[in-house]
Amino acid sequence: MTVLPPAWRVGRVTPLGELHTPPRMTAALLRLAVQIVLVASLWHGLYAAAGTTAGLDRDQAVSYAVLAVLASRLREIDQYAARDTVIQHMHFGTIVYWYLRPMPPQRYYALRALGEQLYGLAWSLAGYLVCLAAGVVQPPASAAVAGVFALSMLFGQWVLYYVMLVIDQLCFWTLRNGAALLILIFAQNLLSGVYAPLWFFPDWFITLSSFLPFQATLSVPLSLYVGRIPLSDAAFQLSVQAGWIVVLALFTRFLWRRAARRVISQGG
Amino acid sequence: MNAVRIAWRVTRLNFRAQLEYRTEFLMMIAVGAIWQVSVLVFATVLLTRFTGMGGWNSSDVLLIPATRMLAHGLFVLVLGRIHALGRFIQEGVIDTYLVRPMPVHRQVQLQFFPTNAIGDLTVAAGLMVGAIARSDLDWTAGRITYLVAAVFGGMLLEAALFTVVACASLRFPAADYWGRWLEELLGTFGSYPLNVLPRAVGGLLTFGLPLAFVAYFPAAVLTGHGHDTGVPYWLAAASPLIGLLAYLAARLLWKWSLNHYTGVNG
């Protein structure tokens, strides 16, 4: 029997779990398809009596909205059902096992997230190709735009990983924090442009979100894709994303170290 | 009468239990408010950027999210625990309910006090007051009565939809996944005139997933757009009644599903 490296075994937990629950996969497929149809219909309907709005024409707005739906698939796994979220481990006291295994908890967490994101990427890519073939999403304007978008999306997912990690790390300090988690998730969705492209919001809102890491997760890559952010600005935007990655990497590393001091095994 | 007294006492205890963690209590109120505000932000952004949406003026459109959000807030307060049934099944809580001398549905509703409903209802009530103040309509007793009926009808319809998902969860616990999607759909597509969507998609959100009956049809009837909804006027006007009938049907389905529930112990 082939012995798989531990990293591979941890990384494939999510994909295997999903593959063994066909109803959930069917639900995910149906949900994605319906959501894309609804979102595309909505933006087509809104633009029926309007021209270019907030610097976005109809095709750009539809592409942005559909790509946002596809991107949200990247980390939309139902971890709660698998009872492997940090908040559940804190609640049931099983977080201690993360510290008793021969793999550091931060590495376990990163590998689980990586497996999840790669699994979600397969869904998103398949959905993207179908939408592209159906003409729902416009192709990128040039190979350079495609390349910059791919790099920006990678950075965006990296930032998103750290944002979600900070939210999870909060559980080590607060016993009851469901509300804080929900607020942060709302903030992430609102300020990253999941609900509606940030370009439609008032100027003060756009300025406020430029000081936060959330827009780096989704709004920046999608705006690059649809051409709302020109290629000439791409280097600056990519460097801002890279800056957030570095800041959040150092911050979460610090939090992991502090969190470890709070976990007590077998009564101390 | 005794059942009401017990339910009231349990609710009071649940409320006191929520007060144990004061910060969490306040933040849960904020969660309700933020959830409603996020729905409102989406609707406002669309309203500001795309004026005259579907042939409605912005004051009329505002009545749709106001009705929906108030109905949602009441649902969260009164019947919202059904949303968490998937978790109760997974944690085995439902099995203990079956052996207690109180209906399972009531026990589910009395599981905890929904603190977030305070925030939900505060924002929704504020929006409703704003929507009525901005409206040019003559608020006669008949119109106000219909609006109240529409809010309760919307609450019951939302409860019916989540009860159907809960019934599916009794058989397939993973069906809980659908509940979150349903909540998202209601928030995203329930807050503006559905006639901006293509006819087929509007039909899907009327007869497939009947969210048009929650707020869009009642608001259309109140604002004089009742004949342009794509369904007969009487059907749009009967939305509150449809909410009631849907809830009664959902409770029958709940009863049937519970009788066929099999826990891990068989």
Side-chain angles (χ1 to χ4, degrees):
Chain A
M1 198 177 127
T2 317
V3 179
L4 297 168
W8 172 246
R9 274 185 287 165
V10 172
R12 68 182 192 146
V13 168
T14 295
L16 275 184
E18 291 288 307
L19 290 170
H20 282 101
T21 45
R24 212 153 63 195
M25 287 190 68
T26 317
L29 179 65
L30 186 65
R31 179 177 176 174
L32 193 62
V34 173
Q35 197 74 7
I36 286 172
V37 170
L38 288 177
V39 161
S41 304
L42 171 66
W43 289 100
H44 273 287
L46 290 172
Y47 269 90
T52 300
T53 306
L56 290 169
D57 63 26
R58 190 191 64 178
D59 288 341
Q60 284 176 309
V62 173
S63 295
Y64 183 108
V66 172
L67 287 172
V69 172
L70 288 170
S72 66
R73 263 306 306 171
L74 284 169
R75 279 206 79 175
E76 206 190 57
I77 310 297
D78 186 6
Q79 277 184 333
Y80 209 89
R83 284 215 190 174
D84 203 21
T85 61
V86 178
I87 193 169
Q88 283 169 307
H89 284 303
M90 294 303 290
H91 180 75
F92 294 113
T94 43
I95 193 72
V96 70
Y97 296 119
W98 281 21
Y99 287 85
L100 298 176
R101 289 173 184 158
M103 180 183 278
Q106 51 270 47
R107 194 167 148 75
Y108 173 79
Y109 186 95
L111 288 167
R112 287 279 274 130
L114 182 66
E116 245 177 60
Q117 278 170 303
L118 287 177
Y119 172 77
L121 180 66
W123 274 95
S124 301
L125 265 180
Y128 172 72
L129 292 174
V130 171
C131 288
L132 205 57
V136 179
V137 171
Q138 298 297 306
S142 64
V145 169
V148 167
F149 163 71
L151 187 60
S152 178
M153 199 68 198
L154 174 69
F155 283 3
Q157 286 300 306
W158 210 335
V159 175
L160 180 64
Y161 161 73
Y162 283 126
V163 169
M164 302 306 279
L165 174 57
V166 170
I167 294 172
D168 278 341
Q169 285 176 324
L170 188 68
C171 302
F172 285 92
W173 280 270
T174 49
L175 194 59
R176 288 278 297 272
N177 64 353
L181 299 188
L182 284 173
I183 289 172
L184 278 168
I185 290 167
F186 286 146
Q188 155 65 21
N189 286 338
L190 183 66
L191 295 164
S192 68
V194 169
Y195 293 136
L198 291 181
W199 305 106
F200 288 105
F201 287 81
D203 288 340
W204 65 263
F205 191 90
I206 297 173
T207 311
L208 170 78
S209 59
S210 66
F211 290 104
L212 298 167
F214 306 111
Q215 68 156 353
T217 63
L218 194 67
S219 182
V220 168
L222 297 191
S223 298
L224 283 165
Y225 182 95
V226 300
R228 184 61 179 79
I229 295 178
L231 267 186
S232 52
D233 285 350
F236 171 71
Q237 295 293 345
L238 288 170
S239 56
V240 170
Q241 284 182 301
W244 276 117
I245 291 171
V246 173
V247 169
L248 288 168
L250 292 172
F251 183 54
T252 51
R253 201 173 155 166
F254 167 74
L255 289 182
W256 271 125
R257 233 180 274 144
R258 303 283 298 196
R261 293 185 202 163
R262 301 184 62 84
V263 178
I264 297 166
S265 164
Q266 310 281 343
Chain B
M1 203 58 210
N2 194 36
V4 174
R5 201 162 43 235
I6 291 172
W8 176 243
R9 287 187 69 180
V10 174
T11 304
R12 279 175 53 199
L13 283 171
N14 280 340
F15 186 76
R16 284 177 60 191
Q18 292 290 318
L19 284 173
E20 185 185 356
Y21 298 96
R22 290 295 164 96
T23 313
E24 174 78 0
F25 177 79
L26 294 173
M27 285 181 83
M28 277 311 286
I29 293 175
V31 163
I34 288 172
W35 165 251
Q36 296 283 48
V37 167
S38 71
V39 171
L40 188 61
V41 163
F42 181 67
T44 311
V45 164
L46 296 191
L47 273 174
T48 316
R49 292 288 179 180
F50 302 93
T51 47
M53 192 191 285
W56 292 45
N57 66 41
S58 57
S59 304
D60 290 348
V61 176
L62 211 55
L63 208 55
I64 304 178
T67 308
R68 203 205 76 74
M69 285 162 64
L70 203 53
H72 175 72
L74 286 172
F75 160 71
V76 173
L77 180 69
V78 184
L79 298 162
R81 263 64 59 219
I82 201 75
H83 193 13
L85 190 83
R87 183 156 55 87
F88 299 161
I89 293 168
Q90 204 191 23
E91 292 176 1
V93 181
I94 197 88
D95 299 83
T96 59
Y97 288 169
L98 286 164
V99 293
R100 287 185 190 159
M102 186 188 269
V104 173
H105 190 272
R106 198 178 305 155
Q107 290 185 67
V108 169
Q109 297 303 342
L110 294 174
Q111 170 74 11
F112 57 87
F113 183 83
T115 314
N116 53 320
I118 299 172
D120 272 310
L121 283 169
T122 307
V123 174
L127 184 65
M128 181 57 90
V129 169
I132 291 173
R134 271 193 62 169
S135 166
D136 301 325
L137 297 171
D138 182 16
W139 287 100
T140 57
R143 255 204 186 102
I144 292 172
T145 309
Y146 184 78
L147 181 62
V148 172
V151 168
F152 281 101
M155 175 192 86
L156 290 173
L157 188 53
E158 189 168 343
L161 293 171
F162 280 108
T163 304
V164 170
V165 174
C167 292
S169 299
L170 285 169
R171 186 90 182 160
F172 311 103
D176 190 37
Y177 176 85
W178 294 93
R180 286 197 299 281
W181 185 33
L182 182 60
E183 192 170 26
E184 190 185 307
L185 277 179
L186 286 168
T188 315
F189 291 92
S191 301
Y192 47 78
L194 291 179
N195 62 349
V196 297
L197 299 171
R199 190 171 282 270
V201 178
L204 179 73
L205 295 178
T206 304
F207 299 109
L209 177 71
L211 70 83
F213 293 93
V214 175
Y216 169 50
F217 287 160
V221 170
L222 282 170
T223 55
H225 294 90
H227 293 283
D228 312 319
T229 54
V231 299
Y233 183 84
W234 63 266
L235 186 62
S239 295
L241 183 65
I242 288 169
L244 176 66
L245 294 175
Y247 185 65
L248 292 174
R251 286 301 297 269
L252 286 176
L253 179 68
W254 165 263
K255 204 172 170 187
W256 182 85
S257 304
L258 202 61
N259 285 337
H260 290 78
Y261 170 71
T262 314
V264 282
N265 295 321

